[in-house]
Coordinates of all heavy atoms in Angstrom, one line a residue:
R1441 N -30.7 -228.6 29.9 CA -30.6 -227.5 29.0 C -31.6 -226.4 29.4 O -32.7 -226.7 29.5 CB -30.9 -227.9 27.5 CG -30.9 -226.8 26.5 CD -31.1 -227.3 25.1 NE -30.0 -228.0 24.6 CZ -29.8 -228.3 23.3 NH1 -30.8 -228.0 22.4 NH2 -28.7 -229.0 22.9
H1443 N -33.0 -223.2 27.8 CA -33.1 -222.4 26.6 C -34.6 -222.3 26.2 O -35.4 -223.2 26.4 CB -32.4 -223.1 25.4 CG -32.1 -222.2 24.2 ND1 -33.1 -222.1 23.2 CD2 -31.1 -221.4 23.9 CE1 -32.6 -221.3 22.3 NE2 -31.4 -220.8 22.7
L1454 N -32.6 -235.3 22.4 CA -31.3 -235.3 23.1 C -31.1 -236.6 24.0 O -30.0 -237.1 24.0 CB -31.2 -234.0 24.0 CG -31.1 -232.7 23.2 CD1 -31.4 -231.5 24.0 CD2 -29.7 -232.6 22.6
K1461 N -24.6 -242.4 22.5 CA -23.3 -241.7 22.8 C -22.7 -242.3 24.1 O -21.6 -242.7 24.1 CB -23.6 -240.2 23.1 CG -22.4 -239.4 23.4 CD -22.8 -238.0 24.0 CE -23.8 -237.3 23.1 NZ -23.8 -235.8 23.5
K1473 N -32.0 -236.8 29.6 CA -31.8 -235.4 29.3 C -32.9 -234.7 30.0 O -34.0 -235.2 30.3 CB -31.8 -235.2 27.8 CG -31.1 -233.9 27.4 CD -29.6 -234.2 27.2 CE -28.9 -232.9 26.9 NZ -27.5 -233.3 26.5
Q1481 N -30.7 -215.7 29.3 CA -30.2 -214.5 28.7 C -30.8 -213.2 29.3 O -32.0 -213.0 29.4 CB -30.5 -214.4 27.2 CG -29.7 -215.4 26.4 CD -29.3 -215.0 25.0 OE1 -29.8 -214.0 24.5 NE2 -28.5 -215.8 24.3
G1512 N -24.4 -230.4 32.8 CA -24.8 -229.2 32.0 C -25.1 -229.5 30.6 O -24.9 -230.6 30.1
D1513 N -25.6 -228.5 29.9 CA -25.8 -228.4 28.5 C -26.0 -226.9 28.1 O -25.5 -226.1 28.9 CB -27.0 -229.3 28.1 CG -27.0 -229.6 26.5 OD1 -26.3 -230.4 26.1 OD2 -27.8 -228.9 25.8
I1514 N -26.7 -226.6 27.1 CA -26.8 -225.2 26.7 C -27.4 -224.4 27.9 O -28.4 -224.9 28.5 CB -27.7 -225.0 25.5 CG1 -27.0 -225.6 24.2 CG2 -28.1 -223.6 25.3 CD1 -27.8 -225.5 23.0
G1515 N -26.8 -223.3 28.3 CA -27.4 -222.5 29.3 C -27.1 -223.0 30.8 O -27.5 -222.3 31.7
R1552 N -13.3 -231.5 33.3 CA -14.7 -231.7 32.9 C -15.1 -230.5 32.0 O -15.7 -230.6 31.0 CB -15.7 -231.9 34.0 CG -17.2 -232.0 33.6 CD -17.4 -233.1 32.6 NE -18.7 -233.1 32.0 CZ -19.1 -232.5 30.9 NH1 -18.2 -231.7 30.2 NH2 -20.3 -232.6 30.4
T1556 N -15.6 -231.8 26.5 CA -16.3 -231.9 25.2 C -15.5 -231.3 24.1 O -15.3 -232.0 23.1 CB -17.7 -231.3 25.3 OG1 -18.3 -231.7 26.5 CG2 -18.5 -231.7 24.1
G1585 N -20.7 -221.2 17.6 CA -20.9 -221.1 19.0 C -19.7 -220.5 19.7 O -18.7 -220.2 19.1
S1586 N -19.9 -220.1 21.0 CA -18.8 -219.5 21.7 C -19.0 -219.8 23.2 O -18.6 -219.0 24.1 CB -18.8 -217.9 21.5 OG -20.1 -217.4 21.6
G1587 N -19.7 -220.9 23.5 CA -20.0 -221.3 24.8 C -19.0 -222.4 25.2 O -17.8 -222.4 24.7
N1588 N -19.4 -223.2 26.2 CA -18.4 -224.2 26.7 C -17.7 -225.0 25.7 O -16.5 -225.1 25.6 CB -19.2 -225.1 27.7 CG -18.4 -226.3 28.2 OD1 -18.4 -227.3 27.6 ND2 -17.6 -226.0 29.2
V1589 N -18.5 -225.7 24.8 CA -17.9 -226.6 23.8 C -17.0 -225.8 22.8 O -15.8 -226.2 22.6 CB -18.9 -227.4 23.1 CG1 -18.3 -228.4 22.1 CG2 -19.8 -228.2 24.1
A1590 N -17.5 -224.7 22.3 CA -16.7 -223.9 21.3 C -15.4 -223.4 21.9 O -14.4 -223.5 21.3 CB -17.6 -222.8 20.9
S1608 N -19.1 -217.9 16.9 CA -20.5 -217.3 16.7 C -21.3 -217.4 17.9 O -20.9 -218.0 18.9 CB -21.2 -218.0 15.5 OG -21.7 -219.3 15.9
D1609 N -22.5 -216.7 17.9 CA -23.5 -216.9 18.9 C -24.8 -216.6 18.4 O -25.0 -216.5 17.1 CB -23.1 -216.1 20.2 CG -23.2 -214.6 19.9 OD1 -23.8 -214.2 18.9 OD2 -22.7 -213.8 20.8
S1610 N -25.8 -216.5 19.2 CA -27.2 -216.3 18.6 C -27.4 -215.0 18.0 O -28.4 -214.7 17.4 CB -28.2 -216.6 19.7 OG -28.0 -215.8 20.8
T1611 N -26.4 -214.1 18.1 CA -26.6 -212.8 17.4 C -25.8 -212.7 16.1 O -26.0 -211.7 15.3 CB -26.1 -211.6 18.4 OG1 -24.7 -211.7 18.6 CG2 -26.9 -211.6 19.7
K1632 N -18.5 -214.4 28.0 CA -19.7 -215.3 27.9 C -20.1 -215.8 29.3 O -21.1 -216.6 29.4 CB -19.3 -216.4 26.9 CG -19.4 -216.0 25.5 CD -20.9 -215.7 25.1 CE -21.1 -215.1 23.7 NZ -22.5 -214.8 23.4
R1635 N -24.4 -214.3 30.7 CA -25.3 -214.9 29.8 C -26.1 -213.8 29.0 O -26.7 -212.9 29.6 CB -26.3 -215.8 30.5 CG -25.6 -217.0 31.2 CD -26.2 -218.3 31.0 NE -25.5 -219.4 31.6 CZ -24.7 -220.2 31.0 NH1 -24.5 -220.1 29.7 NH2 -24.1 -221.2 31.6
A1637 N -24.5 -211.8 26.7 CA -23.5 -210.9 26.1 C -23.3 -211.3 24.7 O -23.1 -212.5 24.3 CB -22.2 -210.9 26.9
C1667 N -20.6 -226.1 17.0 CA -20.6 -226.2 18.5 C -21.6 -225.4 19.1 O -21.5 -224.9 20.2 CB -19.2 -225.9 19.1 SG -17.9 -226.9 18.5
A1668 N -22.7 -225.1 18.4 CA -23.8 -224.2 19.0 C -25.0 -225.1 19.3 O -25.4 -225.3 20.4 CB -24.1 -223.1 18.1
T1669 N -25.8 -225.5 18.2 CA -27.1 -226.1 18.5 C -27.5 -227.0 17.3 O -26.9 -227.1 16.3 CB -28.1 -224.9 18.7 OG1 -29.3 -225.5 19.3 CG2 -28.5 -224.2 17.5
G1692 N -19.5 -230.8 17.4 CA -19.4 -230.6 18.9 C -20.8 -230.5 19.5 O -21.0 -230.9 20.6
A1693 N -21.7 -229.9 18.7 CA -23.1 -229.8 19.2 C -23.8 -231.1 18.9 O -23.3 -232.0 18.3 CB -23.8 -228.7 18.5
N1694 N -25.0 -231.3 19.5 CA -25.9 -232.4 19.2 C -26.8 -232.2 18.0 O -27.5 -231.2 18.0 CB -26.7 -232.7 20.4 CG -25.9 -233.3 21.5 OD1 -25.2 -234.3 21.4 ND2 -26.0 -232.7 22.7
N1719 N -18.6 -235.7 20.1 CA -18.8 -234.9 21.4 C -19.0 -235.7 22.6 O -19.3 -235.2 23.7 CB -19.8 -233.8 21.2 CG -21.3 -234.3 21.2 OD1 -21.6 -235.3 22.0 ND2 -22.2 -233.7 20.5
G1722 N -17.4 -235.1 26.7 CA -18.0 -234.5 27.9 C -18.6 -235.5 28.8 O -18.3 -235.5 30.0
Ligands
NDP1031 P1 -23.4 -223.0 26.0 O1 -24.7 -222.5 26.5 O2 -22.2 -222.9 26.8 O3 -23.1 -222.4 24.6 C1 -24.0 -222.4 23.6 C2 -23.5 -221.6 22.4 O4 -24.3 -221.8 21.3 C3 -23.6 -220.1 22.7 O5 -22.6 -219.4 22.0 C4 -25.0 -219.7 22.2 O6 -25.1 -218.4 21.8 C5 -25.1 -220.6 20.9 N1 -26.4 -221.0 20.6 C6 -27.3 -221.7 21.4 N2 -28.5 -221.8 20.8 C7 -28.4 -221.2 19.7 C8 -29.3 -220.9 18.6 N3 -30.6 -221.4 18.7 N4 -28.9 -220.2 17.5 C9 -27.6 -219.7 17.5 N5 -26.7 -219.9 18.5 C10 -27.1 -220.6 19.5 O7 -23.7 -224.6 25.6 P2 -22.6 -225.7 25.3 O8 -21.4 -225.2 24.7 O9 -22.5 -226.6 26.5 O10 -23.4 -226.6 24.2 C11 -23.3 -226.4 22.8 C12 -23.7 -227.6 22.1 O11 -22.9 -228.7 22.5 C13 -25.2 -228.1 22.3 O12 -25.7 -228.7 21.2 C14 -25.0 -229.1 23.4 O13 -26.1 -230.0 23.4 C15 -23.7 -229.8 22.9 N6 -23.0 -230.6 23.9 C16 -22.6 -230.0 25.1 C17 -21.9 -230.8 26.0 C18 -21.4 -230.2 27.3 O14 -20.7 -230.9 28.0 N7 -21.6 -228.9 27.6 C19 -21.5 -232.2 25.7 C20 -21.9 -232.6 24.4 C21 -22.6 -231.8 23.6 P3 -25.5 -217.3 22.9 O15 -24.3 -217.1 23.7 O16 -25.9 -216.1 22.1 O17 -26.6 -217.9 23.7

Side-chain angles (χ1 to χ4, degrees):
R1441 176 178 289 194
H1443 193 271
L1454 290 163
K1461 182 194 308 193
K1473 202 84 186 193
Q1481 288 212 354
D1513 194 79
I1514 292 178
R1552 176 62 188 88
T1556 313
S1586 48
N1588 172 269
V1589 180
S1608 78
D1609 66 14
S1610 52
T1611 65
K1632 284 293 173 180
R1635 300 224 178 259
C1667 297
T1669 194
N1694 286 307
N1719 73 34

